[in-house]
């Protein structure tokens, strides 16, 4: 009995396929692209905070909104998507493997995405698409911008299809076995991404491209914004779930522990799938033309996400506490001491977790109908998502980079780079605390987001903002130094670090863990519930929006957009 | 029978006092910040 159990344990936990050289090149291409994006986008961030401080003006007639479009698109959309797809491919390659055909199709996806990215990037750099990353109509960009975006989406769908196929083939070969936890999580994230991107794809293909080419004279602004946010909220969970993959299944290994609960991790991912999509209206609370009832319904669904979020928090603390107690650290918080603070693979994601406490609290404020009216379109919102995506998610991605890149390039994370990484993490934490706090406060004082420096004719209220804008410039400059450090670290790890074998840390379950119930693998049921929730939350509002559509809008290429 | 042959492990419930307290603190932070902004909303 015990032997059998032991054998089964060994069997269930040997997810360690080897990643070949050519596979590594694929994964590294995605990740390398993300780091180029980090540098370019970070530079724009620096320019923004300097302009907003009032002590600097952009040279050569460069427009603030051009800079801000580069920043939002390249960091919010390009960096994240490339890193996530590269990381997820690596997880799939390690746990379920990739076939020759899947590998070739994956490269095709990379090139389609990259062609699209380059098209959009050139359009923005020529000043023909200063429409910000949300590309709200009736601002109109050059058609190449929208066509590029469509290609990026299509390329990313290829990654969805490949990842699904990878798990499918594995399951055929391992009948009756539960799928590896990380592969399960990747497939959930890609189902969410696929369903969500159908919304923007529809809007870009059916509304924006014909309109920007001049085939359609006007555009339904309200519909386009609603389709954007149908995608825009799951987008943030598409960023967050890969970070959670690392928290649930990789961090425990790094701290010398085990997975707290395989079932809990899977269940939380299923709940994230359910409650990430039917909630986009919480970004449109001030939108005229959408019925209050449906805004309310979607807010309730939004608040459901507290459940898997607190499950995740609980799971993290429990992993830390159990591991610490096992190492002999007692007391109520003694286990805290044992954590490997000097290991950057742990420290960076841990700071990311801390940032999610104010980040999550701010999110619930944003999503509350009345409180939203206090912060809507203020720089508070920018402060909020620089905590969530630009700290929680990004620091976790940095934490992954420290082991994944050397693992893929056959090099070592040296003690020197580890130390530099810790300094990098501290720069990020300090810079972001200053910048984000100043943004939150300025937002509560009414300071708008998406705006360069202005004294608004010397109004009294505006005078209160100045100090906070200077603080943002200080914090933003520290952050930019953090970006330079990180890019240096990436180049070191990818090309110059000494040859060696860096571990791909994947945590195991406890020996005597409760077996994961098989109902968690009911994929068809999860997709059906997801679609049912979306139909419930969106059918009536969208019919209403189309039936009572406002008059369509002609394009505006000025004052910003395309001039 | 089963118990004797299995290696001694934490088959008793693990002590998760610290975890419960930590998660509760997070809950309190969320509620406190929510009411903070709610106060602002009422006062404006
Ligand atoms: C050096 C580091 C960074 C600095 C100094 C910085 C600064 C800023 C500032 C000042 C804004 C708001 C400008 C305005 O509303 O007028 C902004 C917007 C934004 N930032 Fe950053 N940021 C940095 C890093 C990042 C990172 C790493 C990400 C994402 C991973 C990111 C994503 C965004 C997004 C999506 C926007 C919104 C753009 C828009 O409103 O259209 N930022 N950033
Ligand atoms: Cu949202």
């Amino acid at each position: 009995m015990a032997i059998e159990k032991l054998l089964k344990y060994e069997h269930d936990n040997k997810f360690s396929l080897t990643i070949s050289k050519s596979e590594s090149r694929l994964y590294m291409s995605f990740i390398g692209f993300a780091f180029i994006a980090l540098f370019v986008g970070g530079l724009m961030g620096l320019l923004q905070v300097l302009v907003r401080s009032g002590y600097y003006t952009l040279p050569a007639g460069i427009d603030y909104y051009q800079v801000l479009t580069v920043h939002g698109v390249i960091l919010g959309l390009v960096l994240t998507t490339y890193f996530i797809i590269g990381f997820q491919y690596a997880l799939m390659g390690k746990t379920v493997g990739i076939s020759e055909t899947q590998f070739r199709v994956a490269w095709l996806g990379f090139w389609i995405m990259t062609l699209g990215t380059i098209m959009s990037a050139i359009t923005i750099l020529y000043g023909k698409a200063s429409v910000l990353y949300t590309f709200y109509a009736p601002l109109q960009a050059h058609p190449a911008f929208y066509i590029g975006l469509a290609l990026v989406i299509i390329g990313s769908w290829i990654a969805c299809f490949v990842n699904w196929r990878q798990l499918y083939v594995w399951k055929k070969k391992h009948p009756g076995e539960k799928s590896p936890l990380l592969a399960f999580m990747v497939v959930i994230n890609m189902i969410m991404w696929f369903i969500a991107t159908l919304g923007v794809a529809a809007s870009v293909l059916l509304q924006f491209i014909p309109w920007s080419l001049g085939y359609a004279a006007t555009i339904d602004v309200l519909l386009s914004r609603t389709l954007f946010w149908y995608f825009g909220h799951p987008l943030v969970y598409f960023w967050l779930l890969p970070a959670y993959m690392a928290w649930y299944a990789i961090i425990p290994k790094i701290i010398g522990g085990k997975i707290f609960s395989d079932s809990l991790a899977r269940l939380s991912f299923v709940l994230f799938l359910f409650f990430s999509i039917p909630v986009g209206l919480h970004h449109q609370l001030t939108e005229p033309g959408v019925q209050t009832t449906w805004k309310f319904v979607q807010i309730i669904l939004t608040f459901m996400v507290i459940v898997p979020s607190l499950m995740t928090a609980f799971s993290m603390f429990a992993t830390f506490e159990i591991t610490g107690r096992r190492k002999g650290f007692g007391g109520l918080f003694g286990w805290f001491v044992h954590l490997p603070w000097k290991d950057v693979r742990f420290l960076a994601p841990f700071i990311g977790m801390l940032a999610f406490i104010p980040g999550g609290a701010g999110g619930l404020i944003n999503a509350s109908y009345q409180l939203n009216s206090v912060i809507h379109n203020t720089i508070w919102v920018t402060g909020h998502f620089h905590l969530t995506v630009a700290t929680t998610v990004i620091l976790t991605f940095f934490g992954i980079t420290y082991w994944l890149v050397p693992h893929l390039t056959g090099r070592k994370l040296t003690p020197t780079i580890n130390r530099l990484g810790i300094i990098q993490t501290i720069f990020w934490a300090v810079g972001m605390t200053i910048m984000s706090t100043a943004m939150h406060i300025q937002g509560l004082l009414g300071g708008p987001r998406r705006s360069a420096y202005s004294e608004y004719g010397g109004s009294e209220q505006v005078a209160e903002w100045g100090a906070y804008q200077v603080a943002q410039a200080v914090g933003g400059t520290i952050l930019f130094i953090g970006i330079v450090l990180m890019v240096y670290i990436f180049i070191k790890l990818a090309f110059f670090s000494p040859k060696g074998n860096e571990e791909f840390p994947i945590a195991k379950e406890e020996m005597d863990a409760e077996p994961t119930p098989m109902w968690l693998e009911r994929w068809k049921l999860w997709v059906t519930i997801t679609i049912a929730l979306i139909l419930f939350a969106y059918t009536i509002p969208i019919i209403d929006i189309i039936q009572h559509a406002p008059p369509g809008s002609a394009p505006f290429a000025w004052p910003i957009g395309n001039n | 029978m089963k118990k004797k042959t299995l290696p001694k492990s934490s088959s008793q419930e693990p002590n998760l006092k610290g975890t419960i307290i930590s998660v509760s603190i997070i809950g309190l932070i969320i509620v406190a910040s929510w009411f903070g902004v709610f106060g602002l909303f009422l006062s404006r």
Side-chain angles (χ1 to χ4, degrees):
Chain A
M1 184 64 205
I3 298 285
E4 237 168 64
K5 205 167 172 180
L6 189 67
L7 283 179
K8 182 166 167 4
Y9 175 76
E10 291 285 310
H11 178 85
D12 284 355
N13 282 286
K14 67 168 191 317
F15 309 126
S16 43
L17 303 169
T18 322
I19 295 180
S20 75
K21 267 233 163 72
S22 56
E23 283 168 49
S24 295
R25 215 165 300 134
L26 171 68
Y27 311 154
M28 279 300 291
S29 301
F30 279 103
I31 295 170
F33 208 97
F35 276 90
I36 299 173
L38 177 67
F39 185 74
V40 178
L43 192 60
M44 300 302 129
L46 179 65
L47 294 178
Q48 287 152 216
V49 285
L50 294 180
V51 168
R52 287 170 49 83
S53 76
Y55 291 101
Y56 175 79
T57 34
L58 289 169
I62 299 174
D63 184 64
Y64 181 78
Y65 288 103
Q66 187 180 355
V67 170
L68 189 55
T69 305
V70 175
H71 183 79
V73 169
I74 219 167
L75 293 175
L77 304 177
V78 176
L79 162 114
T80 47
T81 311
Y82 273 81
F83 189 92
I84 289 166
I85 292 182
F87 173 50
Q88 292 188 155
Y89 269 134
L91 294 176
M92 295 300 277
K94 195 75 187 166
T95 55
V96 294
I98 186 164
S99 77
E100 191 56 44
T101 318
Q102 291 159 5
F103 176 75
R104 268 195 307 255
V105 177
W107 268 118
L108 178 70
F110 174 83
W111 286 116
I112 293 179
M113 273 177 72
T114 305
L115 179 69
T117 305
I118 292 173
M119 254 175 97
S120 297
I122 292 177
T123 322
I124 300 171
L125 292 176
Y126 269 100
K128 297 289 174 198
S130 301
V131 293
L132 306 183
Y133 84 108
T134 41
F135 55 94
Y136 283 154
L139 291 180
Q140 193 188 57
H142 189 278
F145 174 76
Y146 304 113
I147 297 172
L149 284 185
L151 288 174
V152 173
I153 296 168
I154 292 168
S156 74
W157 285 349
I158 292 184
C160 296
F161 302 148
V162 172
N163 288 155
W164 298 339
R165 178 84 194 158
Q166 283 174 285
L167 183 59
Y168 179 80
V169 170
W170 185 92
K171 283 190 80 77
K172 282 267 144 212
K173 275 196 216 136
H174 300 77
E177 284 181 37
K178 70 172 177 191
S179 42
L181 177 59
L182 284 163
F184 179 95
M185 292 169 151
V186 170
V187 168
I188 292 264
N189 200 25
M190 287 316 237
I191 293 174
M192 187 179 79
W193 177 251
F194 184 76
I195 298 176
T197 43
L198 290 173
V200 252
S203 169
V204 167
L205 292 175
L206 304 175
Q207 294 192 284
F208 281 97
I209 293 182
W211 176 66
S212 66
L213 287 170
Y215 297 143
T218 61
I219 191 166
D220 182 339
V221 172
L222 180 54
L223 182 63
S224 75
R225 285 162 65 99
T226 306
L227 288 173
F228 180 86
W229 285 112
Y230 164 89
F231 152 81
H233 185 77
L235 171 69
V236 312
Y237 274 90
F238 175 70
W239 299 332
L240 202 55
L241 291 192
Y244 285 3
M245 293 174 200
W247 295 5
Y248 273 115
I250 284 166
I251 297 292
K253 172 80 175 183
I254 290 174
I255 66 168
K258 295 276 164 65
I259 290 175
F260 170 65
S261 163
D262 181 270
S263 318
L264 179 144
R266 288 177 205 243
L267 182 62
S268 82
F269 267 60
V270 171
L271 294 176
F272 280 123
L273 173 64
F274 290 167
F275 298 115
S276 287
I277 311 176
V279 297
L281 286 184
H282 69 220
H283 291 264
Q284 295 173 276
L285 294 178
T286 60
E287 191 94 69
V290 181
Q291 278 183 3
T292 314
T293 320
W294 290 102
K295 292 177 181 170
F296 177 73
V297 166
Q298 294 209 6
I299 288 173
I300 300 295
L301 289 168
T302 304
F303 274 68
M304 292 298 291
V305 94
I306 299 176
V307 175
S309 304
L310 286 181
M311 277 163 71
T312 305
F314 183 88
S315 192
M316 290 309 110
F317 283 117
T319 312
F320 298 156
E321 184 167 10
I322 293 173
T323 312
R325 292 201 189 283
R326 207 164 279 168
K327 289 184 184 167
F329 293 86
L332 210 46
F333 293 107
W335 44 274
F336 212 67
V337 183
H338 83 94
L339 293 168
W341 300 109
K342 290 188 175 144
D343 184 343
V344 70
R345 300 174 307 160
F346 167 76
L347 182 69
F350 182 83
I351 304 278
M353 293 176 192
L354 284 189
F356 209 60
I357 299 172
L364 293 175
I365 291 167
N366 300 345
S368 304
Y369 213 148
Q370 288 77 358
L371 305 198
N372 182 272
S373 66
V374 178
I375 54 84
H376 198 90
N377 274 347
T378 69
I379 196 83
W380 156 291
V381 176
T382 317
H384 162 71
F385 62 70
H386 280 79
L387 284 180
T388 53
V389 61
T391 308
T392 302
V393 171
I394 287 294
L395 277 184
T396 303
F397 288 179
F398 291 171
I400 292 165
T401 301
Y402 293 112
W403 54 264
L404 182 59
V405 169
H407 180 88
L408 293 176
T409 55
R411 297 177 190 278
K412 290 293 287 176
L413 168 61
T414 60
T416 322
I417 300 184
N418 185 66
R419 201 165 330 115
L420 201 58
I422 287 175
I423 297 173
Q424 198 287 332
T425 310
I426 294 171
F427 265 83
W428 203 273
V430 172
M432 196 56 92
T433 305
I434 298 174
M435 185 173 93
S436 171
T437 308
M439 284 174 163
H440 277 93
I441 300 175
Q442 194 200 337
L444 290 177
L445 297 173
R449 69 181 284 202
R450 294 184 155 177
S451 93
Y453 183 77
S454 170
E455 284 166 0
Y456 297 90
S459 120
E460 207 175 299
Q461 187 185 7
V462 174
E464 295 176 2
W465 301 340
Y468 296 104
Q469 285 169 341
V470 172
Q472 288 160 39
V474 173
T477 307
I478 298 173
L479 270 173
F480 183 69
I481 299 171
I483 287 187
V484 173
L485 272 176
M486 194 61 214
V487 172
Y488 172 78
I489 290 170
F490 172 78
I491 294 173
K492 270 290 228 211
L493 289 173
F495 303 109
F496 299 110
S497 208
K499 295 264 175 202
N501 219 334
E502 188 65 41
E503 176 198 22
F504 195 123
I506 299 185
K508 296 177 178 174
E509 287 181 65
E510 298 283 357
M511 263 289 284
D512 56 352
E514 293 277 327
T516 306
M518 282 313 275
W519 56 260
L520 278 164
E521 300 253 356
R522 291 220 176 133
W523 294 102
K524 285 193 191 117
L525 181 63
W526 304 150
V527 174
T528 309
I529 295 177
T530 306
I531 292 174
L533 283 169
I534 295 170
L535 290 177
F536 163 64
Y538 268 114
T539 310
I540 297 176
I542 290 210
I543 290 177
D544 202 47
I545 286 169
I546 293 174
Q547 270 181 351
H548 304 110
S553 175
F556 282 76
W558 185 90
I560 66 169
N562 176 2
N563 50 85
Chain B
M1 183 56 205
K2 207 159 86 187
K3 280 232 168 78
K4 267 178 204 156
T5 45
L6 269 177
K8 190 181 172 297
S9 65
S10 54
S11 45
Q12 80 275 29
E13 287 289 306
N15 178 353
L16 290 178
K17 271 215 188 89
T19 302
I20 289 294
I21 293 180
S22 309
V23 177
S24 311
I25 292 175
I26 293 186
L28 285 180
I29 294 177
I30 293 176
V31 172
S33 31
W34 196 94
F35 277 101
V37 180
F38 187 58
L40 261 183
F41 170 73
L42 291 180
S43 72
R44 280 181 181 172

